[in-house]
Amino acid sequence: MKVIRKILDDIKPNVQKGGKFEIFHSAFDAVETLFFVPDKVTIKGSHIRDGIDMKRTMIVVFIALIPALLFGMWNVGFQHFKSLGETVTLWPAFWYGFWKVLPIVIVTYVVGLGIEIIFAQKRGHDVNEGFFVSGILIPLVLPPDIPLWMVAVATAFAVIIGKEVFGGTGMNILNPALTARAFLFFAYPSFMSGDKVWISDKADAFSGATPLGDALVGNFDKLPNPMDMITGIIPGSIGETSIIAISIGALILLFTGVASWRILFSTIAGALIMGLLFNLWGYNDYMNLPAHYHLIMGGFAFGAVFMATDPVTASQTNKGKYIYGFLIGLLAVLIRVFNPAYPEGMMLAILLMNVFAPLIDYYVVASNINKRLKRVKA
Amino acid sequence: MSEEKKEKKAIFSAKNRKLLINPLHKDNPITTQVLGICSALAVTAKVKPAFVMTLSVMAVLAIGNVIISILRNGIPPRIRIIVQLVVIAALVILVDQVLKAFVFDVSKQLSVFVGLIITNCIIMGRFEAFAMANKPWESFLDGLGNAFGYGWILIVVAFFREFLGSGTIWDYPVMEKLGVYSFGYENNGFMILPPMALIIVGVIIWVQRSKDKTLIEEK
């Protein structure tokens, strides 16, 4: 570590204000804070700074995503060979998926970070870690065979229109990863939905429908058994299939307190309650689907753990978090069952609630003020 | 009569020129006055309808402004909105009939939106804000200027939406001629949807404001 410190200290004067390479300031800063805790201290007031800054938070989320990422890579390979009717051992499947997923990850990072650095230079602020997690989330919510240029376009759209327009990391209204996915979903629907895209290079005769796809067209007898859906040996977006891998990530996030348990809990509650209500109504087969199926189908689990809990776009107040999460779960199931055009309701539900999160906060705060005012009067 | 003669002398005075040019940029109906957004979303999926829409709005706005300006002293203030609406509606019906007679296919594409020019806020807005208080010639210029300002935004938005969304420009298959489809290029379906028009208008506003800082409101 000392060696790195020394190298950085040697370079530092050159890139600070007035130095020869001032233009690389933000790049230098990015590297420096990667290795060392920033030495910034507060000057005014009595702010207490926690040791956990944005970089540490992002690293925790990144670690939490690793199980889903690794499983996703393996599953991409496994599904591919399965569709060809071949049996495959652990490593060949993993390597196949690895070489499918890695280019998507690289393209996402290069495009996303490139744009962030350009904006940081232009606006004179530091390159921050905002894209660190988005860069891994975006590949995980895409199908394995998505053309790379589409990934690049969607990433650029998400970073510019979804984030930089509002002022960069921490100011965004919509979750950037979901913005990218929604962009692709509406722009290139034939690459993002249907039963052809979820298995990489699949054999034509093999049905590649996801459980959601099956449910949508009423093939309830074709749904994989719940055990497969929980382990994740089903076709789907790269990172969304395995409930076990996602749960490991969820435990890490909850244990470290990075994700809000209130949001997670209320999202699941919302989905279950909506599912149970549909069960009571029981008008068609989809409504009769047991409520807990909704939790393990499609991107619900992934969205609930990694997207809904995004601290920037979620509600900030505790009461608001319950409302926010509950409505996400409720709307996700509602969209799935009622709107045949959008098989995956989770993405749209989260984006919609992202937009409403500040409003929820506003009313939670306002009601609190009212309550206190009443107390004063009494 | 003497008044009219004076007017004619200064037919393109600096003030009058401003009436024509300001709406193109600083006082643009869409990007700064934020009027007429609905039709900017609805008819900009392709350049051709956007162009015809521009012409239609131009006709209605310029002629309407003149008519209202001539009538301005005779309109009782309490019923002025009704009078304005009658003028707009009459003009819109005229435009609609002309379109149906000469460019039927475009008229079909624009469908209900020609009729909806009646509700286009730019027209009401200019009647109220300008024609009710100014002379016919100035009102004519103001109408023309605002229609131009509205039109260039419409056509720019339509250009990007048609080019990226359908791969054509004025129905000419540009992307196909360039041969990009063989490289795996796909048309962007999102561009065809109205939200994308809103985003493109937003980007235009962004560019405009970063070029001209005076447009940014003080906090």
Side-chain angles (χ1 to χ4, degrees):
Chain A
M1 271 326 217
K2 269 186 185 161
V3 185
I4 301 169
R5 184 72 260 175
K6 194 168 174 303
I7 297 171
L8 287 174
D9 281 341
D10 285 345
I11 304 174
K12 206 169 190 176
N14 291 322
V15 292
Q16 270 166 343
K17 261 215 166 96
K20 248 189 287 181
F21 301 105
E22 196 186 325
I23 193 161
F24 295 116
H25 172 75
S26 47
F28 173 81
D29 199 66
V31 177
E32 190 188 15
T33 48
L34 185 68
F35 288 107
F36 297 99
V37 176
D39 54 358
K40 281 178 195 146
V41 286
T42 47
I43 302 164
K44 282 181 202 161
S46 57
H47 301 296
I48 297 170
R49 283 184 86 103
D50 198 330
I52 184 157
D53 64 345
M54 187 152 66
K55 193 154 276 181
R56 307 291 169 254
T57 315
M58 294 291 183
I59 287 278
V60 171
V61 182
F62 189 84
I63 292 170
L65 279 165
I66 286 177
L69 177 67
L70 293 181
F71 182 86
M73 285 174 171
W74 173 78
N75 192 42
V76 168
F78 177 78
Q79 294 295 333
H80 166 72
F81 289 113
K82 189 180 162 197
S83 85
L84 296 180
E86 296 170 19
T87 45
V88 68
T89 49
L90 175 70
W91 287 105
F94 178 79
W95 285 118
Y96 180 89
F98 180 78
W99 291 114
K100 276 277 166 196
V101 176
L102 190 67
I104 304 180
V105 176
I106 291 174
V107 167
T108 315
Y109 271 115
V110 169
V111 173
L113 285 179
I115 294 172
E116 289 238 324
I117 288 174
I118 292 170
F119 270 94
Q121 294 286 5
K122 280 223 155 186
R123 291 182 169 163
H125 60 64
D126 302 333
V127 176
N128 50 34
E129 302 72 29
F131 194 72
F132 194 56
V133 166
S134 306
I136 200 76
L137 278 175
I138 292 174
L140 288 184
V141 294
L142 299 179
D145 266 350
I146 188 96
L148 293 178
W149 69 269
M150 287 183 188
V151 178
V153 171
T155 308
F157 179 86
V159 174
I160 297 175
I161 304 292
K163 206 159 88 172
E164 290 300 338
V165 159
F166 296 105
T169 304
M171 308 287 191
N172 47 315
I173 297 173
L174 301 173
N175 183 311
L178 277 182
T179 312
R181 192 183 197 277
F183 177 84
L184 286 173
F185 180 78
F186 288 108
Y188 310 109
S190 59
F191 291 83
M192 289 294 291
S193 45
D195 53 8
K196 301 257 186 298
V197 300
W198 305 110
I199 298 178
S200 149
D201 283 333
K202 78 177 178 69
D204 283 340
F206 193 80
S207 161
T210 60
L212 279 176
D214 276 332
L216 193 71
V217 291
N219 288 336
F220 289 96
D221 48 330
K222 277 196 191 161
L223 280 186
N225 68 52
M227 216 41 227
D228 281 353
M229 289 201 261
I230 287 173
T231 48
I233 318 177
I234 49 169
S237 296
I238 294 166
E240 73 173 12
T241 54
S242 170
I243 307 301
I244 293 176
I246 294 168
S247 304
I248 298 172
L251 286 180
I252 297 174
L253 289 180
L254 291 179
F255 182 72
T256 53
V258 168
S260 156
W261 63 267
R262 291 183 175 86
I263 295 178
L264 196 54
F265 168 78
S266 58
T267 307
I268 293 170
L272 278 178
I273 288 174
M274 196 69 214
L276 289 172
L277 278 178
F278 276 143
N279 288 166
L280 282 180
W281 192 353
Y283 177 69
N284 59 23
D285 284 349
Y286 210 155
M287 286 185 184
N288 280 323
L289 191 70
H292 60 268
Y293 266 65
H294 281 292
L295 304 184
I296 53 177
M297 268 165 43
F300 182 87
F302 192 84
V305 172
F306 294 110
M307 307 285 197
T309 58
D310 171 8
V312 176
T313 53
S315 284
Q316 307 293 321
T317 53
N318 281 347
K319 247 187 226 164
K321 281 176 181 166
Y322 286 120
I323 302 171
Y324 167 86
F326 185 79
L327 286 176
I328 287 180
L330 193 134
L331 284 171
V333 175
L334 190 73
I335 297 171
R336 278 181 181 180
V337 175
F338 271 155
N339 197 330
Y342 305 127
E344 183 46 289
M346 196 57 182
M347 169 180 82
L348 299 168
I350 296 176
L351 285 174
L352 186 68
M353 290 319 292
N354 279 170
V355 175
F356 280 103
L359 188 73
I360 297 172
D361 279 340
Y362 175 84
Y363 279 109
V364 168
V365 172
S367 82
N368 196 33
I369 292 174
N370 271 342
K371 219 188 289 166
R372 290 188 158 213
L373 277 179
K374 266 184 205 151
R375 216 183 295 158
V376 172
K377 274 175 201 158
Chain B
M1 285 304 268
S2 62
E3 235 182 74
E4 264 182 24
K5 265 179 196 165
K6 260 186 220 160
E7 241 175 48
K8 267 179 191 164
K9 269 180 200 164
I11 209 161
F12 277 115
S13 64
K15 209 177 138 205
N16 283 356
R17 251 181 291 144
K18 264 193 188 152
L19 288 178
L20 206 54
I21 289 166
N22 266 1
L24 294 186
H25 169 54
K26 281 208 159 161
D27 213 13
N28 191 289
I30 293 184
T31 59
T32 42
Q33 302 177 44
V34 200
L35 297 172
I37 293 287
C38 354
S39 56
L41 306 191
V43 299
T44 51
K46 298 216 154 165
V47 175
K48 204 169 168 187
F51 183 73
V52 174
M53 186 70 178
T54 306
L55 290 184
S56 313
V57 168
M58 199 175 282
V60 174
L61 190 50
I63 300 171
N65 250 4
V66 172
I67 295 176
I68 291 292
S69 175
I70 293 170
L71 294 177
R72 70 183 187 279
N73 294 325
I75 302 174
R78 290 182 61 182
I79 59 160
R80 65 181 196 287
I81 303 280
I82 302 270
V83 176
Q84 289 165 4
L85 270 179
V86 171
V87 171
I88 302 173
L91 288 170
V92 167
I93 289 168
L94 275 179
V95 167
D96 196 24
Q97 294 301 318
V98 170
L99 289 183
K100 272 186 186 147
F102 294 102
V103 276
F104 187 63
D105 56 324
V106 181
S107 166
K108 259 197 303 188
Q109 276 183 43
L110 287 170
S111 66
V112 68
F113 292 105
V114 177
L116 283 178
I117 295 178
I118 298 175
T119 58
N120 190 324
C121 346
I122 295 177
I123 296 173
M124 268 309 226
R126 290 331 288 173
F127 282 11
E128 275 286 288
F130 199 88
M132 287 298 285
N134 285 283
K135 291 182 186 137
W137 173 244
E138 278 93 343
S139 301
F140 178 73
L141 289 181
D142 179 79
L144 222 51
N146 275 285
F148 273 126
Y150 167 81
W152 82 258
I153 301 280
L154 229 65
I155 287 169
V156 168
V157 174
F159 172 81
F160 283 112
R161 285 183 70 192
E162 183 175 354
F163 184 57
L164 299 172
S166 316
T168 58
I169 296 172
W170 200 278
D171 292 335
Y172 180 79
V174 184
M175 288 294 192
E176 207 182 304
K177 298 282 179 203
L178 287 174
V180 285
Y181 292 115
S182 53
F183 294 106
Y185 177 81
E186 288 283 323
N187 286 328
N188 188 326
F190 197 16
M191 282 283 166
I192 312 275
L193 303 173
M196 207 58 194
L198 196 67
I199 290 170
I200 297 176
V201 171
V203 172
I204 293 176
I205 295 178
W206 183 18
V207 172
Q208 196 188 15
R209 288 182 171 215
S210 50
K211 292 249 180 225
D212 186 351
K213 305 274 185 212
T214 56
L215 288 173
I216 301 171
E217 297 90 353
E218 278 172 38
K219 272 172 198 167

